[in-house]
Amino acid sequence: MKTTNHDLAPKKIYTRGFRHRLWMLSYGVVVVFLGSCSLLPTKTFETRQSDTQDQKTIEPNPLIVPPPIFSSSGDPNFVVKVVQNVGPAVVRIDSSRTITSRVPDEFNDPFFRRFFKDAAPQPRQRVEQGSGSGFIINSSGQIVTNAHVVDGADRVTVILKDGRTFNGKVLGEDPVTDVATIKIDANNLPTLSVGNSDALQPGEAVIAIGNPLGLNNTVTSGIISATGRSGSDIGASDKRVDYIQTDAAINPGNSGGPLLNARGQVIAMNTAIIRGAQGLGFAIPINTVQKIAQELIAKGKVDHPYLGVQMVTLTPENKERIKNVVGDRLNITTDDGVLLVEIVPRSPASVAGLRVGDVIKSINNQPVTKIEEVQKLVEKSKIGTKLPIEVERNGQIVQVGVQPAPLPVRREG
């Protein structure tokens, strides 16, 4: 099996016929056009009484109950008020980076250079440009956005809604959660009030503001479709985030923009869509954004706990597939838990004695049956402090203490 440096990434032991690909929403030189669709209105049919009964009985006007999207504010135009109040705190972020093409190694060989001399290819440079969104979290010029919006950027430009333009300094970026912070030299800036993303419920009304496809200050609205979507649910198993799913229209360029509730509080940061799908947008909960942003502002980086394992959720079906692949090389005696399929050499898991074929049953005395549960518990652990892990090995229960280390992060691009 191939060894990687990514912690807790599930190992795929079979190939699915169809894979969802995650399309990050940073709008760059390649324009992605999404097909339009026609929405047919839903027709509601009510059972009518007979004409004779209608003539005899005159019913009073029925009480009209406002739909849930309006009930919290009592105003069908609540979106307008929210946008007027918070729009100035949403910014456009333009970034550019210089890419240098690599000269094949053969041309660096003195033997080849004797023949090619001046005709040998030279490194070439090109500039990649992209655009995303962000929002102001501090009146003195601190801004949050997605890490993939500014990843590897040589130059970052922040444009306010009033037209003012500033050079942005990237204070830090965390590719594991896809959060970044930027600082501009300005004061007395408008900011967004913050909601509580832990209390969100599917069906709540939400508003997205951003710059999709370069169209500044675009507003869309919808509802929260689901909460607690893991990275593996949406095809981003390397991200340690429980995403909020929404049907509010978001497109390339919305990355880093706010998702707001009906009161105008930011409850998440728009970040990704599934390519080819409609009405499937995903946002990072604001509680996660706040936590990561504070560490980036203070230290310029975020250290995530790292064990050094690859794993798969064990089910009877997966157990049968594994048996067909590896035969008797693994003695799996249970039908549930989290199976370790690879241990990174010299990693905390390797040092502690975890083995391929171990099935994690609990972490810190909390039972686990899915890889997402393991990821959450490891993320909550402390670097350098032993984490008790109970595994089943060859039918026996074994206690192992693993001391998490900082996750070695590889930059994207």
Side-chain angles (χ1 to χ4, degrees), residues 25-26 90-95 131-137 142-151 153 156-158 169-175 177-183 211 253-258 268-271 284 286 288-290 292-293 296:
L25 300 184
S26 181
V90 182
V91 303
R92 171 173 172 154
I93 299 172
D94 292 337
S95 62
S131 180
S133 306
F135 53 94
I136 305 169
I137 59 172
Q142 292 173 350
I143 297 167
V144 292
T145 186
N146 280 139
H148 71 262
V149 171
V150 297
D151 183 42
V156 175
T157 303
V158 176
K169 177 184 178 182
V170 178
L171 298 179
E173 51 185 295
D174 179 39
T177 57
D178 203 7
V179 175
T181 54
I182 299 172
K183 179 72 169 66
N211 310 289
N254 272 119
S255 278
M269 175 194 290
N270 299 317
T271 188
I284 305 169
I286 193 61
T288 300
V289 173
Q290 277 190 304
I292 300 300
L296 291 175

Side-chain angles (χ1 to χ4, degrees), residues 246-267:
T246 178
D247 69 348
I250 55 177
N251 293 277
N254 272 119
S255 278
L259 190 68
L260 308 144
N261 61 21
R263 295 179 295 279
Q265 298 171 322
V266 57
I267 48 95

Side-chain angles (χ1 to χ4, degrees), residues 346-364:
R346 297 179 296 280
S347 68
S350 176
V351 172
L354 287 175
R355 304 176 186 174
V356 171
D358 285 349
V359 178
I360 299 178
K361 307 297 287 188
S362 71
I363 294 181
N364 204 17

Side-chain angles (χ1 to χ4, degrees), residues 354-393:
L354 287 175
R355 304 176 186 174
V356 171
D358 285 349
V359 178
I360 299 178
K361 307 297 287 188
S362 71
I363 294 181
N364 204 17
N365 297 319
Q366 297 187 47
V368 294
T369 58
K370 299 178 181 179
I371 59 174
E372 292 83 4
E373 295 169 346
V374 174
Q375 289 172 328
K376 289 178 183 179
L377 291 172
V378 171
E379 185 67 15
K380 291 179 181 178
S381 67
K382 293 183 179 180
I383 293 173
T385 300
K386 279 195 175 181
L387 183 66
I389 299 179
E390 181 180 275
V391 301
E392 183 171 322
R393 179 184 298 166

Side-chain angles (χ1 to χ4, degrees), residues 201-382:
Q201 297 291 328
E204 289 187 42
V206 290
I207 304 158
I209 305 179
N211 310 289
L213 303 175
L215 300 172
N216 294 349
N217 309 312
T218 295
V219 179
T220 57
S221 66
I223 62 170
I224 293 174
S225 302
T227 59
R229 296 294 195 205
S230 68
S232 56
D233 285 339
I234 69 171
S237 58
D238 60 328
K239 305 299 180 189
R240 295 190 183 180
V241 175
D242 281 340
Y243 294 92
I244 295 168
Q245 181 181 327
T246 178
D247 69 348
I250 55 177
N251 293 277
N254 272 119
S255 278
L259 190 68
L260 308 144
N261 61 21
R263 295 179 295 279
Q265 298 171 322
V266 57
I267 48 95
M269 175 194 290
N270 299 317
T271 188
I273 58 177
I274 293 179
R275 189 177 187 180
Q278 296 181 4
L280 292 177
F282 300 92
I284 305 169
I286 193 61
N287 291 7
T288 300
V289 173
Q290 277 190 304
K291 175 179 177 294
I292 300 300
Q294 289 171 358
E295 291 192 49
L296 291 175
I297 292 170
K299 303 187 301 182
K301 65 175 184 175
V302 178
D303 289 327
H304 296 273
Y306 164 74
L307 299 187
V309 300
Q310 288 186 334
M311 55 194 176
V312 65
T313 296
L314 192 60
T315 64
E317 295 78 12
N318 281 345
K319 181 179 177 180
E320 185 64 26
R321 293 188 182 100
I322 293 167
K323 185 176 180 180
N324 291 336
V325 173
V326 302
D328 297 330
R329 285 177 288 172
L330 287 182
N331 181 24
I332 305 172
T333 57
T334 181
D335 289 333
D336 56 34
V338 177
L339 175 67
L340 302 184
V341 296
E342 187 169 353
I343 307 294
V344 177
R346 297 179 296 280
S347 68
S350 176
V351 172
L354 287 175
R355 304 176 186 174
V356 171
D358 285 349
V359 178
I360 299 178
K361 307 297 287 188
S362 71
I363 294 181
N364 204 17
N365 297 319
Q366 297 187 47
V368 294
T369 58
K370 299 178 181 179
I371 59 174
E372 292 83 4
E373 295 169 346
V374 174
Q375 289 172 328
K376 289 178 183 179
L377 291 172
V378 171
E379 185 67 15
K380 291 179 181 178
S381 67
K382 293 183 179 180

Side-chain angles (χ1 to χ4, degrees), residues 3-19:
T3 301
T4 68
N5 289 328
H6 289 292
D7 179 39
L8 304 175
K11 185 74 173 180
K12 295 187 177 179
I13 57 175
Y14 63 97
T15 302
R16 296 176 182 262
F18 174 80
R19 293 183 180 178

Side-chain angles (χ1 to χ4, degrees), residues 101-103 113 117-125:
S101 62
R102 182 172 173 269
V103 176
R113 298 192 70 87
K117 296 183 179 179
D118 295 337
Q122 300 298 316
R124 294 184 178 181
Q125 292 185 336

